[in-house]
Amino acid sequence: MGIMEQKILIVDDEPDILELIEYHLKKEGYQVFLASNGHEGIHVAKQVHPDLIILDIMMPKMDGIEACRLMRAIPEFKNTFMVFLTARSEEYSEIAGFNVGADDYIAKPIKPRALVSRINAILRRNLSDKDLVESKLEIGDLVIDREAFLVFQNGEKVTLAKKEFELLHLLATKPGKVYTREAILKNVWEDSVVVTNRTIDVHIRKLREKLGDNYVTTVKGVGYKFELANEKAIPNS
């Protein structure tokens, strides 16, 4: 699928913001669709099936957090890229966004060139992901299907947000290897300038909530690694 076929939905209650983002993304060749609140955004998304959704957080009728949460519960949007756009810099807004399954977080005021660069990077990666043909990764009681973006634990499907999946896959590809926070940011979030170390902590916590504490180990002061609980070294007595 080329860039001309990729669809982006922008959901924001500020007409000037919609117009600005629409203008620059159309110049890049994307198909752009607009909505002015979360409720309308869900309706439009069901009609056009966008590849990426940009959601403002503070909106009337239904805010971006609730809209993202509801869409993530719909199977067809489980792997759709969702990016929050907000003027609010409070830490809780970012954490709330990632908790409901956001893939990225872009702050206002918008810098068009930076925004377009970030969107291009996200969707280029999405295209390359779809072209990957990899066997399933089977580790202990986990099966990680990179091509289908699915995880099974003891045969039961575990629903992960896209970035949660990518983080798990990165760590599980090389069990025992310690990934620094900088390496995780580079591999999972690429060149995003708004993602912080706290973002990694949120995603690690969500993985542990969904899979249990037996897989991702914290290496204090360094980073994280994938290590099955029953394969960890036993200290000499």
Side-chain angles (χ1 to χ4, degrees):
M1 179 171 59
I3 193 171
M4 293 295 291
E5 298 172 352
Q6 290 185 295
K7 302 174 183 178
I8 298 177
L9 169 61
I10 311 166
V11 187
D12 197 304
D13 63 319
E14 299 182 55
D16 291 347
I17 297 294
L18 289 175
E19 183 178 348
L20 176 66
I21 301 177
E22 179 186 29
Y23 172 75
H24 286 281
L25 291 180
K26 279 188 172 180
K27 278 181 62 178
E28 288 292 301
Y30 294 110
Q31 297 182 54
V32 180
F33 302 85
L34 308 176
S36 60
N37 60 67
H39 181 75
E40 182 183 346
I42 294 174
H43 177 71
V44 175
K46 288 179 178 179
Q47 291 183 319
V48 304
H49 304 286
D51 298 284
L52 183 144
I53 301 172
I54 301 173
L55 287 159
D56 186 31
I57 286 187
M58 300 300 293
M59 292 184 292
K61 297 185 180 180
M62 181 187 292
D63 64 26
I65 299 287
E66 179 67 6
C68 180
R69 186 187 68 81
L70 291 173
M71 282 191 283
R72 281 295 189 222
I74 302 173
E76 65 187 290
F77 298 123
K78 186 170 72 72
N79 291 322
T80 302
F81 278 100
M82 296 193 193
V83 177
F84 276 121
L85 180 69
T86 179
R88 303 185 66 170
S89 58
E90 292 92 337
E91 179 182 298
Y92 76 84
S93 293
E94 181 175 348
I95 293 176
F98 286 124
N99 279 344
V100 295
D103 295 297
D104 211 338
Y105 188 96
I106 298 174
K108 296 178 181 177
I110 295 168
K111 298 177 181 178
R113 292 176 66 179
L115 173 69
V116 168
S117 175
R118 182 63 194 144
I119 297 305
N120 285 343
I122 291 173
L123 289 175
R124 275 199 306 270
R125 182 167 185 175
N126 191 34
L127 285 175
S128 64
D129 286 345
K130 290 179 179 178
D131 291 336
L132 288 175
V133 179
E134 299 181 3
S135 60
K136 295 177 182 178
L137 187 61
E138 298 186 23
I139 305 178
D141 58 3
L142 292 182
V143 176
I144 305 172
D145 188 336
R146 184 70 175 88
E147 188 176 16
F149 277 86
L150 293 175
V151 174
F152 295 89
Q153 183 180 41
N154 290 317
E156 297 291 326
K157 185 167 72 172
V158 180
T159 300
L160 300 180
K162 198 174 186 70
K163 290 301 182 185
E164 294 168 8
F165 179 93
E166 291 178 354
L167 175 56
L168 174 65
H169 185 268
L170 173 69
L171 298 176
T173 299
K174 295 183 178 180
K177 175 177 177 177
V178 179
Y179 283 86
T180 65
R181 293 169 180 273
E182 291 75 16
I184 292 173
L185 288 172
K186 181 178 179 181
N187 281 277
V188 177
W189 280 273
E190 296 180 328
D191 60 351
S192 176
V193 296
V194 298
V195 176
T196 66
N197 285 341
R198 194 173 301 277
T199 299
I200 299 175
D201 297 337
V202 171
H203 282 70
I204 292 292
R205 177 170 58 79
K206 297 297 287 186
L207 282 177
R208 287 170 172 163
E209 287 176 0
K210 295 176 180 180
L211 296 173
D213 297 329
N214 299 328
Y215 306 99
V216 180
T217 300
T218 301
V219 181
K220 190 173 182 179
V222 182
Y224 297 96
K225 65 179 178 178
F226 185 96
E227 187 176 32
L228 293 178
N230 59 2
E231 294 182 359
K232 293 180 181 179
I234 301 175
N236 293 326
S237 56

